[in-house]
Amino acid sequence: MEPVTFQLKNPARAKDKAYKWAGRITALKTGDTPLHLYLLTAAPANSDLRNSIEQIIKSASSTDVQVDFVHENEAESFARKMQHKMEAAGHE
């Protein structure tokens, strides 16, 4: 889980940040272990910009590095879900 905000005043900077994350995700593909990266995001209010950012980052996703977004309003339920998964797997 990695917290990241895209609520920047300048939409171009928000997209630049998305491209930087896409580059990081691409770099992670060089490892031997598949990863599942969850980005806890503060997304921009503009839905077109939000969709564009998510598409940029998702385009770097693959079977080696899966990326999912967890939006601020989903954080609490996501945390409970992950807690249950860890408890079921014996990790307390």
Side-chain angles (χ1 to χ4, degrees), residues 6-8 10-19 44 49 53 56:
F6 294 102
Q7 291 179 335
L8 304 174
N10 183 334
R13 285 195 173 169
K15 282 188 176 182
D16 285 344
K17 192 171 186 177
Y19 282 115
L49 180 57
I53 287 168
I56 290 166

Side-chain angles (χ1 to χ4, degrees), residues 19-81:
Y19 282 115
K20 287 179 183 177
W21 271 98
R24 291 175 181 161
I25 292 163
T26 299
L28 289 172
K29 292 178 188 177
T30 61
D32 295 334
T33 305
L35 299 172
H36 194 156
L37 179 64
Y38 295 95
L39 294 178
L40 175 60
T41 61
N46 180 303
S47 63
D48 289 338
L49 180 57
R50 181 176 56 247
N51 291 338
S52 179
I53 287 168
E54 289 185 6
Q55 185 59 37
I56 290 166
I57 292 173
K58 284 281 193 178
S59 69
S61 184
S62 70
T63 56
D64 294 326
V65 181
Q66 182 181 347
V67 179
D68 284 314
F69 291 89
V70 178
H71 299 282
E72 287 176 300
N73 62 331
E74 304 165 327
E76 195 172 315
S77 65
F78 175 79
R80 281 193 300 272
K81 178 180 156 186

